[in-house]
Amino acid sequence: MTTTNLYDLSPLDLERSLADVVSPPFRIKQIEQWMYGHGVTSFEEMTNLPRELRASLAERFTLDFPEVVETTPPASDGSQKSLFRLKDGNRIEAVYMPMGDRVSVCLSSQAGCAVGCTFCVTGFFGAGRNLTPSEMVGQFFTIQQMYSEPVERMNVVFMGMGEPLLNFENLIATLDILYVNLAPKRITVSTSGIIPGIDDLARLPRRPNLAVSINAPDRKRREEIMPITKKYPLEGLIAAMKRYPTERGREMTAEYVLLAGWNDSPRDAIALAKLLRGVHAKVNAIPFNEDPNLPPWMKRPSDRAIDTFVETLVEHGVPVTVRRSKGRDIAAACGQLRGRTEPRRKRTA
Ligand code: SAH
Ligand code: SF4
């Protein structure tokens, strides 16, 4: 008999599963508090439950998280990346990023990515299976405990390995678990532009922030580096962004990976500003992270080129932030830590 990992259940399913085993009902609330408030990984830690109840829970259920196998030394900005090993041997990454008075954790949603963007190490190594809710919340709580951060101080971004909107059901269960202690505005889901997934998110009663990887100022160039554009065209994607409801005080993010000499000219900035006209979004410019697995022509622009690009956007009325090499020294872009230890593969066309 396989035992259910309680972290794989949404809070609603957890209550249903526990109802047969646990009484009185306030005990269920206590269990939820230990799990969603503290991220405990054994029933023994639930010290306010009777011993017999802890024992009978342990016979029926588990509370497993993936295991950390490596953590990089802190980068100059304090960010640190951790590599996790999953039960089936797959490896995934999560990143801890201090941000002023808050911290952000970047989570992976899949153990690889089938979308295959040509500038991305995760895409280079190819598709991987969907992560379960326990594997996603496990990254969150493990990092939260590693750094002893109060849960309320944390932001979550799904910008690690994988395409979260291609793992929709598990993503929703994970969001529901995180929402117990985190307001939806503290959570951002980043997508390569899976239009039906964006529309499904838009219909949820509680919505995370949406970040969309735009990365090129026109359809032709986007197709070159993001083959998914053929399936979900750029025009349709912009329309989906316009449909996505944003609450007061919140806005979407258009991510834009800056590649030297390719999409980083002032003219490209103007084209991007035009493309985003009517979209309630700020741009997050991400200077390309170089990696030996990626095409050698792809280079990070000079700081001057980055500054000019940003200034041009601002002049055209587009709010913009720059991800100043979030730990360039720790191979910060998704998949790069795992990529360093993966057996070398020839890039397939
Ligand atoms: N699959 C989702 C989320 C994971 S990728 C998505 O594509 O949005 C998170 C971000 O990292 C994306 O904006 C992507 O464009 C960016 N990224 C991927 N590889 C990169 C690299 N080598 N340098 C800089 N940014 C990169
Ligand atoms: Fe997948 Fe995002 Fe990487 Fe593209 S950038 S291959 S969608 S993880």
Side-chain angles (χ1 to χ4, degrees):
M1 195 186 84
T2 52
T3 46
T4 305
N5 183 348
L6 290 183
Y7 284 110
D8 279 328
L9 305 178
S10 69
L12 208 66
D13 288 340
L14 176 80
E15 286 183 14
R16 287 197 193 114
S17 302
L18 291 179
D20 304 335
V21 189
V22 180
S23 71
F26 77 87
R27 295 282 181 217
I28 296 181
K29 286 278 161 255
Q30 289 177 316
I31 296 169
E32 280 178 333
Q33 187 49 34
W34 284 112
M35 289 174 59
Y36 304 150
H38 300 276
V40 301
T41 50
S42 81
F43 294 103
E44 275 316 295
E45 291 169 76
M46 301 183 175
T47 44
N48 55 0
L49 299 189
R51 188 183 299 267
E52 314 77 66
L53 177 57
R54 282 184 263 161
S56 75
L57 285 168
E59 277 169 24
R60 290 177 174 80
F61 305 112
T62 61
L63 294 166
D64 282 337
F65 287 156
E67 176 200 355
V68 176
V69 288
E70 185 188 335
T71 297
T72 60
S76 43
D77 61 3
S79 62
Q80 281 186 288
K81 183 176 265 199
S82 290
L83 190 68
F84 291 77
R85 186 173 41 228
L86 310 181
K87 280 249 154 61
D88 61 2
N90 267 300
R91 287 173 313 151
I92 53 149
E93 304 175 356
V95 190
Y96 166 85
M97 301 178 284
M99 305 254 182
D101 61 346
R102 299 188 71 87
V103 292
S104 254
V105 220
C106 175
L107 305 182
S108 290
S109 57
Q110 300 182 305
C113 189
V115 175
C117 306
T118 60
F119 53 84
C120 172
V121 179
T122 306
F124 170 75
F125 284 106
R129 72 164 169 84
N130 284 336
L131 299 190
T132 61
S134 66
E135 288 165 343
M136 289 186 269
V137 295
Q139 296 168 60
F140 172 79
F141 280 115
T142 303
I143 294 211
Q144 180 253 332
Q145 289 161 8
M146 262 165 89
Y147 300 92
S148 313
E149 292 289 352
V151 173
E152 314 75 55
R153 232 167 65 90
M154 298 177 74
N155 290 339
V156 174
V157 295
F158 286 87
M159 287 183 191
M161 294 164 60
E163 170 49 56
L165 298 187
L166 292 180
N167 184 13
F168 198 80
E169 239 176 84
N170 291 342
L171 175 72
I172 298 309
T174 304
L175 291 176
D176 282 340
I177 293 173
L178 295 173
Y179 288 156
V180 174
N181 288 292
L182 287 179
K185 67 173 179 196
R186 297 284 168 213
I187 303 175
T188 300
V189 171
S190 173
T191 179
S192 57
I194 311 297
I195 296 173
I198 295 175
D199 287 332
D200 288 343
L201 268 191
R203 278 190 284 273
L204 296 175
R206 287 182 295 184
R207 282 178 299 279
N209 299 314
L210 182 67
V212 180
S213 300
I214 298 289
N215 293 343
D218 56 65
R219 177 179 183 159
K220 189 174 153 288
R221 269 185 281 177
R222 194 168 189 269
E223 269 183 21
E224 281 174 38
I225 57 166
M226 299 186 75
I228 190 86
T229 310
K230 295 195 186 82
K231 187 163 184 193
Y232 299 120
L234 184 55
E235 300 74 17
L237 178 56
I238 298 290
M241 289 173 84
K242 288 181 180 160
R243 288 195 293 273
Y244 193 77
T246 43
E247 287 81 358
R248 265 178 86 93
R250 285 167 77 181
E251 60 187 351
M252 272 170 274
T253 304
E255 293 160 287
Y256 191 93
V257 174
L258 283 164
L259 287 157
W262 193 80
N263 66 355
D264 64 340
S265 72
R267 219 200 302 163
D268 296 329
I270 295 168
L272 178 63
K274 274 210 183 111
L275 183 69
L276 293 175
R277 205 168 278 162
V279 183
H280 187 51
K282 66 163 191 286
V283 168
N284 184 17
I286 313 172
F288 174 67
N289 269 286
E290 296 175 13
D291 187 277
N293 286 308
L294 298 175
W297 70 263
M298 294 187 175
K299 295 274 182 249
R300 177 193 163 90
S302 66
D303 285 343
R304 232 189 91 191
I306 296 170
D307 290 343
T308 310
F309 186 88
V310 167
E311 282 157 21
T312 313
L313 276 179
V314 172
E315 278 163 21
H316 286 77
V318 181
V320 51
T321 54
V322 187
R323 184 160 355 142
R324 287 275 171 209
S325 63
K326 258 286 160 232
R328 183 154 34 137
D329 26 350
I330 62 158
C334 63
Q336 289 190 331
L337 177 60
R338 184 188 67 157
R340 255 187 1 219
T341 53
E342 206 83 344
R344 275 296 166 85
R345 262 214 272 152
K346 271 259 173 333
R347 168 167 280 273
T348 46

